[in-house]
Amino acid sequence: MYRTHNCGELRIENLNTETTLSGWVQKVRNLGGMTFIDLRDRYGITQLTFNMEVDKDLCEKARKIGREYVIKITGNITERSNKNKNIATGDIEIDVKKLEILNASEVPPFTIEDKTDGGEEQRMQYRYLDLRRNPVKRGLILRHKMGQEIRKYLDTNGFIEVETPYLIKSTPEGARDFVVPSRMHKGSFYALPQSPQVFKQLLMISGYDKYFQIVKCFRDEDFRSDRQPEFTQIDCEMSFVEQEDVMNMFEGLAKHLFKEILNYEISYDFPVLSYDNCMENYGNDRPDIRFGMTIKNISELVKGQGFKIFDEAEYIGGICAENCGEYSRKMLDKLVSFVKRPQVGANGLIYVKYNKDGTLKSSVDKFYSSEELKKWADAMNAKPGDLLLVMSGEKAKTLSALSILRLEMADRLELRKTGTFAPLWVVDFPLLEKDEETGTFHAMHHPFTSPKNGKKDLENPKPEEIYANAYDLVINGHEIGGGSIRIHDTEMQAKMFELLGFTKEEADEQFGFLMNAFKYGAPPHGGAAFGFDRWVALFNNSDSIRDVIAFPKNNAGKDLMINSPSLLDQSQLKELNLEVTE
Amino acid sequence: MYRTHNCGELRIENLNTETTLSGWVQKVRNLGGMTFIDLRDRYGITQLTFNMEVDKDLCEKARKIGREYVIKITGNITERSNKNKNIATGDIEIDVKKLEILNASEVPPFTIEDKTDGGEEQRMQYRYLDLRRNPVKRGLILRHKMGQEIRKYLDTNGFIEVETPYLIKSTPEGARDFVVPSRMHKGSFYALPQSPQVFKQLLMISGYDKYFQIVKCFRDEDFRSDRQPEFTQIDCEMSFVEQEDVMNMFEGLAKHLFKEILNYEISYDFPVLSYDNCMENYGNDRPDIRFGMTIKNISELVKGQGFKIFDEAEYIGGICAENCGEYSRKMLDKLVSFVKRPQVGANGLIYVKYNKDGTLKSSVDKFYSSEELKKWADAMNAKPGDLLLVMSGEKAKTLSALSILRLEMADRLELRKTGTFAPLWVVDFPLLEKDEETGTFHAMHHPFTSPKNGKKDLENPKPEEIYANAYDLVINGHEIGGGSIRIHDTEMQAKMFELLGFTKEEADEQFGFLMNAFKYGAPPHGGAAFGFDRWVALFNNSDSIRDVIAFPKNNAGKDLMINSPSLLDQSQLKELNLEVTE
């Protein structure tokens, strides 16, 4: 037997009994005649003691042990004279009688500590050692718990988990598929699912009523930071529901997770904001509403005063940074540099200091009198001591830049507090996005989303103005997930494909089976999907989803530990009837 | 709102209140002035009534509705005069006041009934309709419940579910991988995992202690019946364990599932049989032990009596079929034909009838006296009225044929009773299998399985005689899963790869990261993996795993519903730098 207890469970109540423990050596300390070893496993750390005077051989054996050795010991549980309040087992230590080295360890390439000296790439290459570190371990245990609680909630609410296939069919629409050559059917390929969207709709047509799955999805994108080629989705679908039913169900899920995982009670209904509202007031469709500082459109107020930049701008808007009225010239210059960075892309920034004495000082004093500036301040609900930051230009771009500036100011003002959460629903998205270059339309969510007012919407001569029965769950500036009420009618689905520029043949070839399924009694249905990695990262207070994925890939889609992707044997290629082209 | 209740929940207690239901039309019956509709959803069936005299228009509307239409109705819950004891809602019916057709349905290509008129291929093509049938629905709901209970048991026992990657690295060893071309890394490929074996071992090295995952695995095999290119595994691993610890943990899981899912209590310890014992007594390593009829080796008894076939045979063995002594000539001839089929592959079959009067009559009376035959009967524990069936030849082949004959006789005697379960562990498997043609060795389980007596075993000059620390869970003749205690030592693992014919370079190229990981403190560990599809099929009393997979592929690996695999756009191939060869 390797152990009678784990390294995290012994307490003062266990004193004066014998125990056997196995684990990893976190640390060895030699203090005169005593040697101390911190023994670690998943559950905690227990201190072991060896006394030179009592057993010289044993103590010398212990002294030769290095970090990360795997050992098994037997000894008596004794009370520590020097209690350690930082660990759960801090009241006791083990007076070791027997010591067995189960496996030696070379010196690890970086320290297995909360703050390690290992660089990103090295930790990826030795991920199995990085996974030993507490912050990583905590993230994965949190992930496990969240998975369990999600399943518990959905099961209790009548959802059935159904596994949908991974080897499906490629559809050129949308992001790129990963494909899988078929050896048995020469020249044919499976594709890995970008989501189980079509299958979950088929399950509704099959009468499964409430479906869910925690499932891997795949997207062959040009990698951006914090994107993974494979990611995990909480995928759900319900029949005989309207938008409100779906939102209620998953608001319940979010509240359940907040409560069970973080012990964070949310007793109010999540606010519901329209897409247009979000764009106008926050500059994006996933606002962080832990703080106000909303964007104000002051176009009407500032035009026609002879300031050419404003007069020629499509849009002028600003935010009010509370209590920043005393920003120095240098700090303001830094802000200007910030918004001029390519990631923000603004041309400039105009400020108005609302001094504590009630006077106003701006970078456009030449064009605007104090009375005029006071009107801006009033429009932005500013009070003496505040700072107004104003930008202008093409509307969408300016709002986007203001949105980034708003978050930056909030960070400086420490308004985005860790451990505080402000969830909301964003609704009434546009159904379609117009590609201004080609004049064609893309589905904003996906081609199965229904228009808000049914069939007649699709006759709108300006399709970009149609709203969708779609909703997103946003928490602290992150889109955690979203969904829609789907089309469940062959004719409407055909019309939608037409709007998206599919020929009838293309629609049939790719989605014929779904359109066919609609003919045999499709119920009204809708659902949602949530980014599991992102949600866990949010709850784990991680910046990157990589922190909560056991074996993530790097930004180039590589697994540095197993060295993948890699070349195939020529014989494998031959069997697949494939050749790599020059 | 689409419904206030579902179609399975209304009872006599709900009488005289109003309800709104939505669902599918199972059946429409017109009886004089009354029309009855059976309305179906996932939860059950509710009878709707329409009365011509009360509301002619509504009743006529109802009469035009076809099977599988999706409708929404509102009406009063009334007591049925003609109660239906076969359904849970059989005491009530709905006196419909309002009827809305939510979606029409064409006549489905086959009937949505427990016993359908649809053929296999048609049902695969219209899987979304086949999924509406009760037997299929029951199987998938059972699957969901089993998944939940497995997670509950493992979570309670301290296991953490960790997701391992799907885009990994191809290893030529073992079955063929499905591969995934990388667009970003020209000429390189990912592979889909045949199992998360290596990753779960790395998680043990990372100190996760107890891991599990219910996970899809992929194997590009030439399809055999009841094999799927993608299948689901319950994958588990534990640290600081010996064989007995792992077996106890998963015997507990099996008992938990029997109890919670089937309400079938197993209070005894599962029998543990050695591989050699199973081969000798049952002719295979996954015996159905719901019945006896074990195989007896009578080689010693029957040789040297001048019967050339026996004298020249490596092995002679037989089984005793109880109470079959009165089999007619015709029935015996049929048995001979049965064993001569290519699937069994025997040359012939010798019988001895142990008549009720105590006399013996055999097909080899020329060579063996009654006294001799009586010895056979005693050796096989036969009693008057029984039938002895004897086969001879090369030992392994003969045992295999006897094993099939044993199951056939058990079926005839109805000894393999539905609803009865006889689980057991098979242990002490050979570590390696010798390829008699090439003289090379393959791992019987996989190359990470440890030998029973540690390092010294690997020095055995006859590697085929080494036993493994491996175990299988067998229920009713199905191998439900199995596992092993793994090697956790670089040197031993290297020696194992050597035995399997890997060069050092090949071992490094494919498993270098694992061997490297062993150097940094690998704990003793072991685990198991169970075929989830097979286990669900067993509990569902299904012959085929296809019955319990929502969207299975056919024997050619095709999904007939979505028509996959399929050809890619030339542009997709080009992006992947691939060409299909002639």
Side-chain angles (χ1 to χ4, degrees):
Chain A
M1 195 188 12
Y2 286 105
R3 57 187 176 193
T4 53
H5 299 88
N6 66 48
C7 295
E9 66 177 316
L10 292 173
R11 299 287 182 276
I12 200 83
E13 293 78 42
N14 305 100
L15 278 192
N16 304 320
T17 56
E18 197 181 77
T19 186
T20 298
L21 300 178
S22 288
W24 286 262
V25 172
Q26 178 73 29
K27 216 185 317 192
V28 185
R29 276 160 304 153
N30 296 311
L31 297 176
M34 295 293 291
T35 292
F36 297 92
I37 288 182
D38 281 351
L39 191 67
R40 186 195 70 226
D41 67 10
R42 186 181 107 195
Y43 312 94
I45 281 186
T46 299
Q47 177 164 294
L48 316 177
T49 66
F50 301 81
N51 191 328
M52 201 59 131
E53 279 177 26
V54 174
D55 191 334
K56 187 163 174 279
D57 289 351
L58 190 70
C59 197
E60 276 177 351
K61 189 174 175 187
R63 287 182 176 197
K64 284 184 197 134
I65 288 177
R67 280 196 288 131
E68 303 306 317
Y69 271 50
V70 184
I71 63 172
K72 170 182 157 184
I73 60 95
T74 299
N76 285 323
I77 305 162
T78 56
E79 188 168 359
R80 276 169 80 154
S81 51
N82 221 340
K83 298 211 167 62
N84 181 347
K85 293 287 163 213
N86 298 321
I87 57 172
T89 62
D91 287 351
I92 59 97
E93 61 191 5
I94 313 298
D95 181 11
V96 177
K97 302 289 169 221
K98 266 188 273 177
L99 163 64
E100 186 185 341
I101 295 172
L102 297 174
N103 218 337
S105 173
E106 294 185 6
V107 175
F110 49 85
T111 55
I112 312 296
E113 306 279 354
D114 289 10
K115 293 215 179 286
T116 179
D117 56 356
E120 175 88 14
E121 188 161 327
Q122 198 177 42
R123 286 189 288 120
M124 291 283 274
Q125 196 187 336
Y126 293 90
R127 181 65 172 173
Y128 45 87
L129 297 181
D130 199 31
L131 285 169
R132 286 185 188 168
R133 295 171 51 242
N134 277 322
V136 187
K137 201 160 60 183
R138 270 196 300 267
L140 289 178
I141 291 175
L142 175 75
R143 186 179 180 114
H144 163 69
K145 282 188 187 149
M146 285 180 71
Q148 287 287 113
E149 286 301 332
I150 290 163
R151 288 194 163 91
K152 203 181 288 174
Y153 176 86
L154 293 173
D155 180 57
T156 304
N157 280 283
F159 285 76
I160 301 173
E161 186 162 27
V162 181
E163 294 171 56
T164 53
Y166 278 81
L167 296 174
I168 65 165
K169 184 176 170 163
S170 188
T171 54
E173 213 263 340
R176 278 192 205 87
D177 289 320
F178 281 106
V179 297
V180 181
S182 160
R183 183 176 51 84
M184 310 256 294
H185 304 282
K186 181 179 162 176
S188 287
F189 290 74
Y190 301 99
L192 300 178
Q194 295 186 28
S195 91
Q197 182 63 33
V198 175
F199 290 95
K200 69 177 174 176
Q201 292 193 238
L202 289 174
L203 286 170
M204 293 304 103
I205 294 170
S206 300
Y208 284 67
D209 209 68
K210 290 189 195 129
Y211 143 93
F212 84 101
Q213 196 182 185
I214 301 184
V215 63
K216 274 279 174 78
C217 300
F218 305 85
R219 216 167 279 175
D220 185 11
E221 292 178 308
D222 296 321
F223 296 103
R224 291 186 267 152
S225 81
D226 218 26
R227 284 275 181 160
Q228 290 280 319
E230 51 178 305
F231 54 97
T232 306
Q233 198 163 289
I234 309 162
D235 194 52
C236 308
E237 198 76 4
M238 303 167 74
S239 289
F240 302 117
V241 288
E242 284 154 348
Q243 180 162 316
E244 212 185 324
D245 302 315
V246 183
M247 284 164 61
N248 282 341
M249 181 60 78
F250 296 107
E251 185 162 325
L253 171 63
K255 285 177 175 173
H256 177 82
L257 290 180
F258 274 115
K259 180 77 185 72
E260 296 302 321
I261 302 293
L262 300 180
N263 196 24
Y264 188 92
E265 194 106 37
I266 301 183
S267 52
Y268 57 85
D269 291 344
F270 292 0
V272 180
L273 299 183
S274 75
Y275 172 86
D276 289 344
N277 177 338
C278 288
M279 296 309 285
E280 278 293 329
N281 293 303
Y282 300 94
N284 68 59
D285 59 359
R286 44 182 169 77
D288 187 340
I289 60 166
R290 277 177 294 181
F291 60 98
M293 213 196 289
T294 50
I295 298 167
K296 302 294 175 189
N297 182 346
I298 54 167
S299 304
E300 295 307 311
L301 216 53
V302 303
K303 286 201 174 197
Q305 312 279 323
F307 182 42
K308 204 177 154 199
I309 292 175
F310 280 2
D311 287 348
E312 287 177 355
E314 183 190 0
Y315 172 92
I316 306 105
I319 55 172
C320 166
E322 282 188 72
N323 304 320
C324 294
E326 296 185 350
Y327 258 38
S328 65
R329 178 78 213 188
K330 201 174 154 192
M331 287 163 89
L332 289 167
D333 283 348
K334 271 198 179 164
L335 273 189
V336 173
S337 306
F338 174 81
V339 300
K340 283 185 170 173
R341 295 188 318 162
Q343 297 94 317
V344 187
N347 295 322
L349 177 68
I350 282 165
Y351 68 82
V352 181
K353 289 179 169 186
Y354 196 171
N355 296 319
K356 281 191 173 153
D357 61 9
T359 61
L360 292 126
K361 166 84 193 124
S362 84
S363 52
V364 286
D365 281 352
K366 251 194 274 182
F367 302 96
Y368 299 93
S369 66
S370 278
E371 288 72 41
E372 289 294 333
L373 295 176
K374 180 66 172 50
K375 283 184 202 160
W376 302 15
D378 290 345
M380 293 194 228
N381 301 323
K383 56 179 196 325
D386 290 351
L387 174 70
L388 310 184
L389 297 168
V390 175
M391 285 161 121
S392 65
E394 196 256 302
K395 182 170 180 180
K397 269 192 189 164
T398 308
L399 279 168
S400 160
L402 279 166
S403 152
I404 299 172
L405 179 63
R406 175 178 173 270
L407 295 178
E408 172 68 17
M409 292 312 296
D411 280 339
R412 291 178 182 222
L413 292 165
E414 293 178 5
L415 301 174
R416 307 180 77 187
K417 288 209 181 65
T418 303
T420 314
F421 297 94
L424 74 148
W425 290 102
V426 180
V427 299
D428 295 349
F429 284 85
L431 184 68
L432 302 162
E433 278 178 309
K434 192 172 187 171
D435 185 322
E436 290 302 338
E437 275 181 46
T438 62
T440 56
F441 291 97
H442 303 292
M444 182 120 176
H445 276 81
H446 52 55
F448 314 108
T449 301
S450 65
K452 204 150 177 71
N453 303 303
K455 256 178 230 180
K456 67 169 188 279
D457 262 353
L458 298 184
E459 308 300 333
N460 191 325
K462 287 192 174 171
E464 64 271 35
E465 290 177 356
I466 309 169
Y467 286 102
N469 267 323
Y471 32 83
D472 273 2
L473 176 62
V474 173
I475 308 178
N476 292 5
H478 298 288
E479 185 213 317
I480 294 300
S484 64
I485 300 297
R486 326 299 183 185
I487 297 169
H488 66 277
D489 174 279
T490 323
E491 209 184 305
M492 201 196 289
Q493 188 64 66
K495 177 72 191 164
M496 184 69 178
F497 282 130
E498 204 185 305
L499 271 177
L500 294 172
F502 282 72
T503 65
K504 203 184 160 311
E505 289 67 35
E506 285 166 345
D508 274 355
E509 162 62 18
Q510 288 174 44
F511 297 109
F513 61 96
L514 180 66
M515 308 244 273
N516 219 13
F518 282 158
K519 291 181 190 155
Y520 295 101
H525 62 288
F530 303 90
F532 188 44
D533 309 293
R534 168 57 56 208
W535 207 334
V536 180
L538 177 78
F539 274 25
N540 195 46
N541 193 31
S542 295
D543 289 329
S544 167
I545 60 171
R546 238 180 275 174
D547 294 349
V548 295
I549 295 173
F551 299 99
K553 292 180 179 58
N554 74 6
N555 278 344
K558 281 200 164 199
D559 184 326
L560 296 179
M561 182 185 70
I562 63 173
N563 187 25
S564 166
S566 60
L567 298 176
L568 286 192
D569 268 14
Q570 200 53 39
S571 64
Q572 271 176 293
L573 281 176
K574 206 176 159 189
E575 260 197 331
L576 295 168
N577 302 297
L578 288 181
E579 234 169 48
V580 176
T581 57
E582 284 317 306
Chain B
M1 197 188 10
Y2 285 105
R3 58 187 175 192
T4 53
H5 298 88
N6 66 48
C7 296
E9 66 177 314
L10 292 173
R11 299 285 182 276
I12 200 83
E13 294 78 41
N14 305 99
L15 277 192
N16 303 319
T17 56
E18 197 181 77
T19 188
T20 297
L21 300 178
S22 287
W24 286 260
V25 171
Q26 178 75 27
K27 215 182 327 189
V28 185
R29 278 159 303 153
N30 295 312
L31 298 176
M34 296 293 290
T35 291
F36 297 93
I37 288 182
D38 281 352
L39 191 67
R40 184 194 73 225
D41 66 12
R42 185 181 109 194
Y43 312 94
I45 280 183
T46 299
Q47 177 163 294
L48 314 177
T49 66
F50 300 82
N51 190 327
M52 200 59 131
E53 279 176 27
V54 175
D55 191 336
K56 187 163 173 280
D57 289 351
L58 189 72
C59 197
E60 276 178 350
K61 189 173 174 187
R63 287 183 176 195
K64 284 184 195 133
I65 288 177
R67 282 195 287 129
E68 302 306 318
Y69 270 51
V70 184
I71 63 171
K72 169 183 156 184
I73 60 96
T74 300
N76 287 322
I77 305 161
T78 56
E79 187 164 1
R80 277 169 81 153
S81 51
N82 220 340
K83 297 211 168 63
N84 180 347
K85 295 286 163 214
N86 298 321
I87 57 172
T89 63
D91 286 351
I92 59 95
E93 61 192 5
I94 314 298
D95 181 9
V96 177
K97 302 290 169 221
K98 266 187 277 178
L99 163 65
E100 186 186 340
I101 295 172
L102 297 174
N103 218 338
S105 173
E106 293 186 6
V107 176
F110 49 85
T111 55
I112 313 295
E113 305 278 356
D114 289 9
K115 293 212 179 287
T116 179
D117 56 357
E120 173 89 13
E121 189 162 324
Q122 199 177 40
R123 286 189 289 119
M124 292 281 273
Q125 197 188 336
Y126 294 89
R127 181 65 171 173
Y128 47 86
L129 297 181
D130 199 30
L131 285 169
R132 286 185 187 167
R133 295 170 52 241
N134 277 322
V136 187
K137 202 160 57 184
R138 270 198 299 268
L140 289 179
I141 291 175
L142 174 76
R143 186 179 180 114
H144 162 71
K145 281 188 189 150
M146 285 180 71
Q148 287 287 115
E149 286 300 333
I150 290 163
R151 287 195 164 90
K152 202 181 290 176
Y153 176 86
L154 293 173
D155 180 57
T156 304
N157 281 283
F159 285 77
I160 302 174
E161 187 162 26
V162 180
E163 295 171 54
T164 52
Y166 279 82
L167 296 174
I168 63 164
K169 184 176 171 164
S170 187
T171 54
E173 212 262 342
R176 276 192 207 86
D177 289 320
F178 281 107
V179 297
V180 181
S182 160
R183 183 176 53 83
M184 309 256 295
H185 304 281
K186 183 179 161 177
S188 287
F189 290 74
Y190 302 99
L192 300 177
Q194 295 185 29
S195 92
Q197 182 63 32
V198 175
F199 291 94
K200 69 177 174 176
Q201 291 193 239
L202 289 174
L203 286 171
M204 292 305 103
I205 293 170
S206 300
Y208 284 68
D209 209 70
K210 290 189 194 128
Y211 142 94
F212 85 100
Q213 196 181 186
I214 301 183
V215 62
K216 274 280 173 77
C217 300
F218 304 86
R219 218 168 277 175
D220 185 11
E221 292 178 309
D222 296 321
F223 295 103
R224 292 185 266 153
S225 81
D226 218 26
R227 282 276 181 162
Q228 291 279 319
E230 50 178 307
F231 54 97
T232 306
Q233 199 163 289
I234 309 163
D235 194 52
C236 308
E237 198 78 2
M238 304 166 76
S239 288
F240 302 116
V241 287
E242 284 155 346
Q243 179 162 316
E244 210 184 326
D245 302 315
V246 183
M247 284 164 62
N248 282 341
M249 181 60 77
F250 297 107
E251 184 161 325
L253 172 64
K255 285 178 175 173
H256 177 82
L257 290 179
F258 274 116
K259 179 77 185 70
E260 296 302 321
I261 302 293
L262 300 180
N263 196 23
Y264 189 92
E265 195 107 35
I266 301 182
S267 52
Y268 57 85
D269 291 343
F270 294 179
V272 179
L273 271 58
S274 75
Y275 173 86
D276 289 344
N277 176 337
C278 288
M279 296 309 286
E280 280 292 330
N281 292 303
Y282 301 94
N284 68 58
D285 60 359
R286 43 181 170 76
D288 188 342
I289 59 166
R290 280 177 292 182
F291 60 97
M293 211 195 288
T294 51
I295 298 166
K296 303 291 177 193
N297 182 346
I298 55 166
S299 303
E300 296 306 311
L301 215 55
V302 303
K303 286 201 173 198
Q305 311 281 323
F307 182 42
K308 202 174 155 203
I309 291 176
F310 280 2
D311 287 348
E312 288 177 356
E314 182 190 3
Y315 172 91
I316 305 104
I319 56 173
C320 166
E322 283 189 72
N323 304 318
C324 294
E326 295 186 347
Y327 259 37
S328 67
R329 179 77 213 187
K330 201 172 152 193
M331 287 163 90
L332 289 167
D333 283 348
K334 272 199 178 163
L335 273 189
V336 173
S337 306
F338 173 82
V339 301
K340 282 185 170 174
R341 294 189 316 161
Q343 297 95 315
V344 188
N347 294 323
L349 177 68
I350 283 166
Y351 67 84
V352 181
K353 289 178 169 190
Y354 195 172
N355 296 318
K356 283 197 171 148
D357 61 9
T359 62
L360 292 125
K361 165 84 192 120
S362 85
S363 53
V364 285
D365 281 351
K366 253 195 273 182
F367 302 96
Y368 298 94
S369 65
S370 278
E371 289 73 36
E372 290 292 335
L373 294 175
K374 181 67 171 53
K375 284 185 201 158
W376 300 15
D378 290 346
M380 294 195 228
N381 301 320
K383 57 180 194 324
D386 293 348
L387 174 70
L388 309 183
L389 297 167
V390 175
M391 286 162 121
S392 66
E394 195 258 302
K395 182 170 179 180
K397 269 194 188 165
T398 308
L399 278 168
S400 162
L402 279 166
S403 153
I404 300 172
L405 179 63
R406 175 176 172 270
L407 294 177
E408 171 68 17
M409 292 312 296
D411 280 338
R412 291 178 183 222
L413 292 166
E414 293 177 5
L415 300 176
R416 306 179 78 188
K417 286 208 181 66
T418 303
T420 314
F421 298 93
L424 73 148
W425 290 102
V426 180
V427 299
D428 294 348
F429 285 85
L431 183 69
L432 302 161
E433 279 178 310
K434 192 171 186 171
D435 184 320
E436 291 300 341
E437 274 182 44
T438 61
T440 57
F441 291 96
H442 303 292
M444 182 120 176
H445 277 80
H446 51 58
F448 313 109
T449 302
S450 65
K452 207 155 173 67
N453 302 304
K455 257 178 231 180
K456 69 169 188 278
D457 262 353
L458 299 184
E459 308 300 331
N460 191 325
K462 287 191 173 174
E464 64 270 34
E465 289 177 356
I466 309 170
Y467 285 102
N469 267 322
Y471 32 83
D472 273 1
L473 175 63
V474 173
I475 308 178
N476 292 6
H478 298 286
E479 184 212 318
I480 294 300
S484 63
I485 299 298
R486 326 297 184 186
I487 296 169
H488 64 279
D489 174 278
T490 323
E491 208 185 307
M492 200 196 287
Q493 188 65 66
K495 178 75 191 160
M496 184 69 179
F497 282 129
E498 202 184 307
L499 271 177
L500 295 170
F502 282 72
T503 65
K504 201 184 161 309
E505 289 66 35
E506 285 167 346
D508 275 354
E509 162 62 21
Q510 288 172 44
F511 298 108
F513 60 98
L514 180 67
M515 308 242 276
N516 220 12
F518 282 157
K519 291 179 189 156
Y520 294 101
H525 62 287
F530 303 90
F532 188 44
D533 308 294
R534 169 56 57 208
W535 205 335
V536 180
L538 177 78
F539 274 25
N540 195 45
N541 194 29
S542 295
D543 289 330
S544 168
I545 60 170
R546 238 180 276 173
D547 293 349
V548 295
I549 295 174
F551 300 99
K553 292 180 179 58
N554 73 6
N555 278 344
K558 282 201 164 199
D559 184 325
L560 296 179
M561 181 184 72
I562 62 173
N563 187 24
S564 165
S566 61
L567 298 177
L568 286 192
D569 268 14
Q570 199 54 38
S571 63
Q572 271 176 295
L573 280 176
K574 207 175 155 193
E575 262 197 329
L576 295 169
N577 301 298
L578 287 180
E579 233 169 48
V580 175
T581 57
E582 281 318 303

